[in-house]
Amino acid sequence: PEQADIMSLVRVLHDHDDEPAQQLIDKAFQALPSGGQLIVAEPMANTPGSESIGHTYFGFYLWAMGSGRPRTAAELRSMMEIAGFSAVREAKSPMPSLVRVLVGDKRNT
């Protein structure tokens, strides 16, 4: 969508392999106006205290889906930065074992 100041991808990227996931982030960047934000809320690999359940549940789920993978916060941050987002940071999540949240800014141009 265009004419939105904020976009969210909630439990979307982990369903896709790397190339389509990067394309979604790229398209969000292109559609957002200068000063807009992207919010990414995903189950993330290597979440402290949730490694075993995260790998088991989401590994099985994604195997059944036939695509995608849980990514670390660092991997998602890198994908957002490749698209052009800056100041990518993690926001607090009440249930990080289910979803962690990253926010990135599209700088004023």
Side-chain angles (χ1 to χ4, degrees):
E2 294 186 10
Q3 300 177 337
D5 294 331
I6 298 174
M7 289 188 182
S8 64
L9 295 172
V10 180
R11 295 180 56 127
V12 170
L13 298 175
H14 76 289
D15 284 339
H16 299 283
D17 292 330
D18 289 341
E19 187 175 334
Q22 185 66 58
Q23 290 172 350
L24 286 167
I25 296 169
D26 293 345
K27 287 182 184 283
F29 183 83
Q30 293 165 9
L32 281 166
S34 181
Q37 291 184 315
L38 175 65
I39 300 169
V40 173
E42 290 283 314
M44 295 186 200
N46 298 335
T47 296
S50 302
E51 294 88 354
S52 63
I53 192 169
H55 290 292
T56 303
Y57 173 78
F58 291 110
F60 183 72
Y61 167 82
L62 295 170
W63 171 79
M65 292 292 294
S67 68
R69 68 183 182 88
R71 295 173 181 85
T72 65
E75 288 175 304
L76 288 166
R77 180 178 291 112
S78 176
M79 293 172 80
M80 292 171 73
E81 289 170 346
I82 286 168
F85 289 99
S86 61
V88 178
R89 62 219 175 262
E90 188 163 354
K92 187 174 180 176
S93 169
M95 304 239 358
S97 60
L98 295 179
V99 67
R100 290 169 64 190
V101 179
L102 296 177
V103 179
D105 301 326
K106 182 171 180 178
R107 289 188 183 221
N108 292 327
T109 54

